[in-house]
Amino acid sequence: MADTDTGAGYAALESLAALDDRVVPFTVPDLDVRGRVVRLGSSMDTILARHDYPEPVARVLGEAAALTVLLGTALKFEGRFQLQTKSDGAISMMVVDFNAPDSFRAVAHIDESKLADAVAAGSLSTGDLLGEGHLAMTVDQGSATTRYQGVVALNRQSLEEAAHQYFRQSEQIPSRIRLGVGSIVGPGGSRHWRAGGLLVQFMPHSVDRLRAADMHPGDAPEGHEILTNTDPDGISDDAWAEARSLVETVEDHELLDPLLESERLLYRLFHERGARVFEPTLVHEACRCSRERVLGMLRGFSGEDRKAMVADDGTLGVTCEFCSRRYVFAATEVEDGLAGE
């Protein structure tokens, strides 16, 4: 997906900040679909500006964050939903954590040499930058429950298509996702990042409507066209075909423009069918790191490894890769309670 400048201006971004960083759930009963729309404004800008990622990397991480928030806000319990990629491309790894009900964080690891090659070759699509590897989506409800993980292969496809593949093989729910990332230029030429996404899923009451026809229609008169099912989910249903076609009309700027509310976008798509919109979920950027968590992590290393980490001044320093916060500990503080090792 190409990066998109909305052109709405920084003033519009400030005045309509209340419409950002929220997820709007909806249903369209006439089409048997449900879904969510996400708009990420200051939260996404904070994450991307903090790391000062190159523009192509910022765009892909923004897509991953919008996708993760779309899926994570569906959780009906307090837990964690994580999206992680590992691949051989210029973006060697991405991790986006969503902590139910409303916070997320994100980070990307870059192979600088491969990124330079990709820029020189103009190979800057999401699929090009990720390359080949895998994408894992993990639902973690805590220590009392078994974690669920779905994994799909990355073969230079977009994150949208990887998500479609995930739903086909792991959830078996016909789904369509649109993702967009762009920016608004503020005073002095400063860039303010935004991300958006739309998820629509087919959830009919009758499971028979989820089944594709498994028989050829038979011989047809000469010159008569035989219509075949072209839906990759294998679903032959008029309602789903209509919903899928409407989703495919969504442009990037409609997911990003601060002057276009999510509700107005849904009206544009489904007003003839009557979409029902529910109370939005407000989301924000927040890291899970803390001094206690980092201390526990350090104590989990072997004594030899901890000794190698000690600086000349007798301290151990750790920087959180998500939020860049620096934690410094005295070596004696880390060793407290480990005397019996």
Side-chain angles (χ1 to χ4, degrees):
M1 240 163 294
D3 184 40
T4 304
D5 264 341
T6 66
Y10 186 59
L13 178 61
E14 286 188 321
S15 64
L16 293 175
L19 301 179
D20 283 338
D21 296 325
R22 66 181 193 139
V23 181
V24 178
F26 67 91
T27 64
V28 186
D30 282 359
L31 297 178
D32 286 316
V33 300
R34 69 179 185 185
R36 290 182 291 284
V37 183
V38 61
R39 298 290 187 89
L40 302 177
S42 62
S43 61
M44 196 73 255
D45 190 46
T46 296
I47 290 172
L48 296 180
R50 175 187 291 141
H51 294 281
D52 193 25
Y53 292 115
E55 183 175 326
V57 176
R59 174 175 48 80
V60 177
L61 186 60
E63 291 178 5
L67 175 59
T68 302
V69 174
L70 273 176
L71 303 182
T73 47
L75 299 180
K76 303 303 181 185
F77 51 83
E78 290 201 6
R80 182 165 62 126
F81 177 84
Q82 183 185 80
L83 179 151
Q84 181 173 350
T85 67
K86 287 187 177 180
S87 56
D88 62 3
I91 303 176
S92 58
M93 185 175 77
M94 290 192 299
V95 179
V96 187
D97 281 333
F98 181 85
N99 295 292
D102 57 10
S103 68
F104 72 101
R105 62 181 186 171
V107 68
H109 291 182
I110 307 168
D111 184 315
E112 299 287 355
S113 176
K114 290 183 178 180
L115 180 60
D117 291 343
V119 171
S123 301
L124 298 177
S125 71
T126 297
D128 288 333
L129 293 174
L130 291 177
E132 298 186 1
H134 70 267
L135 178 151
M137 298 188 189
T138 306
V139 177
D140 187 351
Q141 300 184 53
S143 56
T145 354
T146 304
R147 294 196 314 165
Y148 167 79
Q149 185 175 78
V151 180
V152 297
L154 290 175
N155 293 304
R156 299 185 176 276
Q157 74 270 48
S158 68
L159 279 179
E160 288 178 358
E161 180 48 44
H164 295 158
Q165 184 179 344
Y166 166 79
F167 278 109
R168 284 194 295 267
Q169 73 180 38
S170 298
E171 304 291 336
Q172 297 182 345
I173 300 174
S175 305
R176 282 297 175 274
I177 290 174
R178 281 285 290 110
L179 303 171
V181 179
S183 59
I184 284 179
V185 178
S190 60
R191 169 168 289 184
H192 300 271
W193 286 98
R194 302 173 59 75
L198 169 68
L199 166 67
V200 174
Q201 296 182 301
F202 185 48
M203 304 288 288
H205 294 294
S206 170
V207 295
D208 289 337
R209 294 176 61 196
L210 292 172
R211 296 174 183 156
D214 56 3
M215 295 181 64
H216 190 277
D219 295 332
E222 185 176 351
H224 182 79
E225 180 184 6
I226 297 177
L227 298 179
T228 57
N229 177 24
T230 58
D231 178 23
D233 296 307
I235 305 302
S236 299
D237 187 277
D238 290 343
W240 177 233
E242 180 179 341
R244 190 177 69 246
S245 297
L246 289 171
V247 171
E248 290 168 357
T249 69
V250 175
E251 302 284 348
D252 281 13
H253 70 84
E254 293 183 288
L255 297 171
L256 304 174
D257 191 343
L259 295 174
L260 180 63
E261 303 167 68
S262 297
E263 290 84 351
R264 287 175 58 196
L265 172 59
L266 292 173
Y267 178 80
R268 198 274 284 175
L269 291 173
F270 301 114
H271 68 277
E272 293 184 356
R273 292 296 190 171
R276 297 177 183 174
V277 175
F278 301 99
E279 191 70 23
T281 297
L282 302 181
V283 297
H284 62 280
E285 178 272 334
C287 193
R288 299 175 63 243
C289 74
S290 67
R291 188 173 181 83
E292 292 72 23
R293 284 178 180 267
V294 175
L295 184 59
M297 177 197 70
L298 289 173
R299 288 173 173 168
F301 286 104
S302 68
E304 184 178 347
D305 287 340
R306 290 196 304 273
K307 187 179 296 185
M309 297 177 192
V310 178
D312 293 340
D313 62 358
T315 63
L316 288 81
V318 176
T319 300
C320 176
E321 65 176 354
F322 284 94
C323 68
S324 302
R325 183 176 177 180
R326 181 74 175 171
Y327 294 92
V328 179
F329 303 88
T332 53
E333 180 182 3
V334 177
E335 297 301 319
D336 282 350
L338 296 174
E341 186 181 279

